[in-house]
Amino acid sequence: MQISCSKCQHKQNFKVEVSEFQGYVCPNCHAYFKGTDPDKWVFQKNLNPGKDVLWPILGEFINFQGNHYQIITKIRRAGVLGKSNEYVGLSTDDEELYLADGDEYACFLEPISEDKIDRKSENRIKYDGNYNREEGGTQNVIYAEGFVFEDLDATSSYITYAHSLNEDKFISEEIFQGKREYYAGKYLHGPNYYSMFEKYREFEEKKKHINSKLLGALLPFLLIPGILFYFLYYNQLSTQTLTFNETFTSENLANSFVSTPFELKGNTKKQLVMDGFSISSVPNLVIQVNLVNKKTNQVSQVRPYVHKFNPSNQANALNIDFCRVEPGQYHLVFETSMTGSPNQAVKLEEQIKLKYGGVSYTPLIFTYAATVMIFIFFFINFNQPDKIAELSKRGDFSGWYMIKQDGLLILFFFVCLALPAYKYYEDNMKTCSADLEVQAQVDHTRTGNRIIYTRSPLMSGSHK
């Protein structure tokens, strides 16, 4: 059976004999004709195919449940709840096949006689079990191809009844031009359903090919933020750790205790953090910790704090961030005082752990997060059917071509530019001042027990 379009002369061959149709839509020029005789068809209008993908090709044979069917009809409808696609297949033995799919479903439909439907109520029917009304509405045809069995300009309505026990089964009640029809439906697994169609199988193969090229081009970009971060923070990545204990005694509460000198090594400013414990024999003693550069006498101060009373061991946990400090020779000064109290003997023990260097990886993490988001956007963009078709028409292309065409380089440049911009802000504009945190109960069990840092006999180099 061959159909020739009277408008564009496109010839469509069918190996099956189709009957009882009401019209035809040319797959080439999209002209819609009405009539039951191909020689007397009357042109109505041209339909707009739009950008929506209908995977079956008019006239192709598909294999479903062991039988071969030729696609003779493709229809796309739109309603309040969205769009849906319907396809009709016909075998050489004159057996019909009805398939349908949408954004979140794919199914097989089998016509059933209305007299087999037992209507229990407005919202409940019985067929091979109980079915409850799920949704309903009206639809209009927005595109079609091949033989049509209804007036495409008419509005149709439908009601879907879901099986009360088996969620894969449903009954569809449809009304076309005043005629009521019933279909027993079964939902199908999406990938298995779509793989029946040649165009979808070709799409999946092309997508794999394109994605492999895109991945090959994008993977090197993942190295760039890490290399850039390493280059910017190279001098600050290494860390030096010093641990030592200091014990001071005095007959007076007001005093300045100077620690053993130590050296901070390197050739650039680094973050210096003190993490330790302060043990005082006098409760509520006011203590201020200063970091002093022995060569320049530059002093980094933190706010004074009151040594909170801890009956278990008189220990306070200290965490002091001295911010960015130049390398050199330093010592710590612990200034003690107590307003309104008589002089008395005081014993102060400081268990000190200093960490010099190290950087926050937060900027790099944010850069990678932004990079991954950009990559995901581009993968989604390149995996659209129209994009796959466009790239496939080019024949030979590279991942580099895809990156350049869709502006990934420009976006990636701005993302990576954020790293040196943040480094400049951190070095030149960000406020940097010493910060102190004190805890009277010094561990998570709240017992007051403290960790002891053992003093090394040597005070040069790294101490552990």
Side-chain angles (χ1 to χ4, degrees):
M1 184 178 186
Q2 185 181 81
I3 302 297
S4 179
C5 177
S6 59
K7 285 203 69 178
C8 69
Q9 283 72 53
H10 172 78
K11 292 180 173 57
Q12 184 71 44
N13 291 311
F14 296 96
K15 293 185 177 181
V16 294
E17 289 296 324
V18 185
S19 60
E20 299 181 4
F21 49 81
Q22 296 185 26
Y24 183 82
V25 179
C26 175
N28 183 56
C29 68
H30 316 297
Y32 169 38
F33 301 92
K34 275 187 179 181
T36 57
D37 186 346
D39 296 327
K40 299 179 181 179
W41 276 339
V42 179
F43 172 74
Q44 300 296 309
K45 61 181 179 180
N46 282 94
L47 300 181
N48 180 10
K51 295 183 178 181
D52 298 315
V53 178
L54 301 179
W55 293 112
I57 300 172
L58 187 67
E60 79 166 305
F61 274 90
I62 64 171
N63 187 352
F64 183 77
Q65 295 183 349
N67 294 324
H68 288 80
Y69 301 88
Q70 188 172 28
I71 300 297
I72 62 171
T73 302
K74 298 163 55 177
I75 293 181
R76 185 160 180 80
R77 306 180 192 273
V80 176
L81 298 178
K83 298 177 181 178
S84 61
N85 309 312
E86 299 172 11
Y87 315 113
V88 179
L90 188 64
S91 72
T92 53
D93 295 330
D94 208 29
E95 292 183 3
E96 296 175 343
L97 171 69
Y98 297 92
L99 301 173
D101 59 59
D103 292 336
E104 298 179 353
Y105 72 92
C107 64
F108 157 70
L109 298 161
E110 183 179 8
I112 55 178
S113 175
E114 184 174 358
D115 57 18
K116 293 184 179 180
I117 300 295
D118 183 8
R119 185 170 294 278
K120 297 296 184 180
S121 67
E122 182 180 352
N123 297 316
R124 186 182 180 190
I125 60 175
K126 188 172 183 179
Y127 174 60
D128 58 350
N130 293 317
Y131 291 78
N132 300 313
R133 178 174 177 145
E134 190 173 56
E135 64 180 33
T138 59
Q139 291 181 317
N140 292 96
V141 175
I142 56 175
Y143 182 66
E145 283 182 21
F147 295 96
V148 294
F149 301 87
E150 61 185 279
D151 182 357
L152 298 186
D153 293 322
T155 298
S156 61
S157 62
Y158 72 95
I159 300 174
T160 300
Y161 298 87
H163 196 283
S164 59
L165 299 177
N166 189 342
E167 62 181 11
D168 288 336
K169 297 174 68 175
F170 65 93
I171 299 291
S172 179
E173 177 184 311
E174 304 178 9
I175 301 176
F176 300 94
Q177 299 169 248
K179 182 182 178 182
R180 192 183 306 271
E181 298 177 353
Y182 287 89
Y183 296 86
K186 183 177 181 180
Y187 292 111
L188 303 175
H189 181 56
N192 293 341
Y193 169 86
Y194 290 110
S195 63
M196 291 190 296
F197 308 122
E198 180 182 353
K199 188 196 298 186
Y200 181 81
R201 295 193 298 270
E202 291 178 354
F203 166 77
E204 286 296 306
E205 287 299 317
K206 292 175 182 176
K207 185 168 73 171
K208 289 179 183 177
H209 176 63
I210 289 172
N211 282 347
S212 64
K213 289 194 172 188
L214 188 59
L215 273 175
L218 293 181
L219 284 177
F221 282 81
L222 294 176
L223 299 176
I224 295 176
I227 294 172
L228 182 59
F229 183 85
Y230 180 81
F231 174 78
L232 291 171
Y233 290 92
Y234 171 75
N235 290 323
Q236 295 169 262
L237 290 173
S238 62
T239 60
Q240 176 188 357
T241 303
L242 301 171
T243 58
F244 53 95
N245 296 350
E246 300 283 23
T247 300
F248 310 105
T249 59
S250 174
E251 296 299 322
N252 299 314
L253 288 176
N255 218 319
S256 293
F257 302 112
V258 180
S259 78
T260 305
F262 53 88
E263 181 182 5
L264 300 179
K265 298 180 179 181
N267 54 14
T268 188
K269 284 184 178 181
K270 297 182 183 180
Q271 185 182 39
L272 177 65
V273 175
M274 172 181 164
D275 192 14
F277 297 94
S278 179
I279 304 99
S280 171
S281 62
V282 179
N284 302 320
L285 185 68
V286 178
I287 303 176
Q288 180 170 316
V289 183
N290 304 319
L291 175 71
V292 181
N293 186 308
K294 292 177 65 64
K295 182 177 180 180
T296 65
N297 288 323
Q298 182 179 355
V299 179
S300 299
Q301 292 182 320
V302 295
R303 59 177 174 83
Y305 73 95
V306 177
H307 196 288
K308 300 176 182 178
F309 179 65
N310 181 346
S312 298
N313 53 25
Q314 292 79 48
N316 279 190
L318 300 182
N319 181 270
I320 302 175
D321 185 351
F322 287 104
C323 202
R324 293 188 295 275
V325 176
E326 294 278 3
Q329 293 285 337
Y330 288 86
H331 60 252
L332 294 167
V333 177
F334 300 89
E335 297 183 7
T336 61
S337 62
M338 182 177 286
T339 304
S341 296
N343 285 334
Q344 65 182 87
V346 62
K347 180 181 179 181
L348 183 66
E349 182 182 353
E350 297 292 335
Q351 300 177 2
I352 300 167
K353 181 177 182 180
L354 296 173
K355 180 182 177 183
Y356 186 52
V359 298
S360 170
Y361 287 89
T362 300
L364 181 62
I365 292 171
F366 274 108
T367 302
Y368 272 124
T371 302
V372 169
M373 290 177 66
I374 292 174
F375 287 173
I376 290 174
F377 171 79
F378 275 84
F379 270 109
I380 293 173
N381 179 49
F382 280 115
N383 280 280
Q384 299 302 315
D386 56 338
K387 197 71 175 181
I388 297 290
E390 177 187 334
L391 289 170
S392 298
K393 288 178 183 177
R394 287 188 54 86
D396 186 28
F397 59 90
S398 65
W400 184 250
Y401 166 82
M402 291 186 280
I403 290 173
K404 290 192 298 182
Q405 291 296 310
D406 276 58
L408 175 60
L409 286 175
I410 297 174
L411 285 174
F412 188 74
F413 170 78
F414 281 107
V415 168
C416 288
L417 188 63
L419 280 175
Y422 180 80
K423 184 68 167 61
Y424 178 82
Y425 164 76
E426 193 176 45
D427 291 343
N428 300 281
M429 301 175 66
K430 185 179 179 181
T431 301
C432 186
S433 58
D435 185 53
L436 166 70
E437 181 182 347
V438 183
Q439 290 183 339
Q441 292 173 309
V442 299
D443 67 0
H444 68 282
T445 61
R446 299 187 180 275
T447 62
N449 294 331
R450 64 182 186 274
I451 300 171
I452 304 299
Y453 293 125
T454 303
R455 181 176 180 176
S456 170
L458 299 176
M459 288 308 300
S460 62
S462 179
H463 299 270
K464 296 182 179 178

